[in-house]
Amino acid sequence: MTTANTQVSFADRVRCSVQQGIAHVVLDRPRKLNALDGAMLEALVQAGSHLIDRTDVRVVVLSGAGRAFSAGLDLSQFAQMQQHHGADAVVIGDRFGAARALGQKAVHVWSMVPVPVVAAVHGVAFGGGLQIALGADIRIVAPDTQLSVMEIQWGLVPDMAGTQLLPKAIGDGMAKELTFTGRKFDGTAAAEMKLATRLADDPLEAALELAHEIAPHSRTALCQAKRLLDMAGRVPLADAFDAEQDAIAQLIGSDEQVATIRHRLGAVRP
């Protein structure tokens, strides 16, 4: 278990630093607009996995270096697709959480990180880049960001968990419209359809400000809150209600909760 502040690089594609309970994960291939190749996808899985068991991390900020969050699949990958067909074109590995394909793992890992994940989205977020942002709990997007569920334009479908995450974010009808058309839309439209949690001219600055607001809170409570909120609509209501009570029973009177109360009471005393 890692607890000290660190900076780590994964495959020269993704870098991760941790300070004051905030992990900042950066897609770091700016010359290619953070396009996704196999190494980038592997690096995202490694970065997320690195954070799963770090008890010193209370919130994660996910951003892209340079002019874009991510332009989606690297064009070189399309040339490789022409050489494969059917089952030979799909690489399935061991199951990681619910995912078996590498692209799915690169998105799904952020739901497996137990603390809140905030994506700061600027420039472009196309195809797989948009799906990575969908893996975050919160998306802060610049108004002029260009986004697209672009796979249909290449004769493909979203295959990085996007078909499951997009309807949850914006509803079935709009998810189908964006997937069937592959049209581009800007950050303002993303906010109107609730794909963006909110807009900011500087998404990274806003994401870090939000992270600093979240980080002082109880890590255990944050983890339980994320787990419970992720259950909504996915498990029977009775099971969700029971999970709430199990969580509150674990929190009440715990050392962390007692320390939180003492801090709060000390803060409000004259």
Side-chain angles (χ1 to χ4, degrees):
M1 182 190 316
T2 305
T3 56
N5 291 346
T6 57
Q7 181 161 327
V8 185
S9 178
F10 300 93
D12 294 323
R13 290 288 195 275
V14 174
R15 51 186 163 87
C16 173
S17 60
V18 176
Q19 191 170 15
Q20 297 180 322
I22 300 169
H24 187 189
V25 177
V26 182
L27 284 68
D28 195 19
R29 202 184 180 204
R31 292 183 182 178
K32 294 284 189 176
L33 297 182
N34 301 314
L36 306 173
D37 59 4
M40 175 71 91
L41 295 175
E42 289 278 8
L44 284 165
V45 176
Q46 292 169 8
S49 299
H50 171 73
L51 296 173
I52 287 175
D53 295 321
R54 285 196 62 152
T55 57
D56 59 327
V57 172
R58 289 184 170 87
V59 59
V60 177
V61 172
L62 185 62
S63 70
R67 296 183 291 117
F69 181 76
S70 173
L73 196 63
D74 190 309
L75 292 178
S76 66
Q77 303 298 299
F78 291 104
Q80 295 180 25
M81 288 180 188
Q82 298 178 50
Q83 303 171 21
H84 301 280
H85 179 68
D88 292 338
V90 180
V91 179
I92 299 295
D94 295 333
R95 199 168 294 281
F96 178 70
R100 292 177 63 195
L102 177 58
Q104 291 174 334
K105 293 176 184 179
V107 174
H108 184 50
V109 68
W110 306 108
S111 67
M112 297 173 65
V113 172
V115 298
V117 178
V118 183
V121 184
H122 76 293
V124 300
F126 292 154
L130 177 54
Q131 292 179 80
I132 290 169
L134 283 169
D137 301 298
I138 296 168
R139 285 166 292 282
I140 301 178
V141 182
D144 60 354
T145 301
Q146 294 294 301
L147 308 97
S148 173
V149 187
M150 190 168 279
E151 285 78 6
I152 199 71
Q153 295 191 24
W154 298 99
L156 300 171
V157 298
D159 67 334
M160 292 170 55
T163 61
Q164 305 307 300
L165 296 176
L166 190 61
K168 186 173 186 289
I170 63 175
D172 289 350
M174 185 56 71
K176 288 178 179 179
E177 181 174 336
L178 295 180
T179 301
F180 296 161
T181 63
R183 75 164 66 100
K184 294 179 183 178
F185 54 97
D186 63 16
T188 300
E192 290 172 352
M193 66 180 74
K194 308 302 183 185
L195 179 56
T197 310
R198 61 183 166 97
L199 297 176
D201 291 333
D202 187 335
L204 179 55
E205 180 182 20
L208 291 170
E209 287 178 358
L210 178 59
H212 280 283
E213 183 178 352
I214 292 170
H217 295 303
S218 159
R219 183 182 189 275
T220 305
L222 288 169
C223 292
Q224 291 283 17
K226 175 170 174 171
R227 182 178 69 87
L228 292 168
L229 290 167
D230 282 345
M231 285 183 180
R234 297 182 177 179
V235 303
L237 192 57
D239 292 346
F241 282 172
D242 289 347
E244 277 190 348
Q245 297 310 302
D246 290 342
I248 205 71
Q250 294 178 43
L251 291 169
I252 291 176
S254 66
D255 291 344
E256 199 170 354
Q257 200 250 345
V258 169
T260 299
I261 291 174
R262 288 174 177 167
H263 175 75
R264 291 290 297 168
L265 290 177
V268 299
R269 282 176 182 157

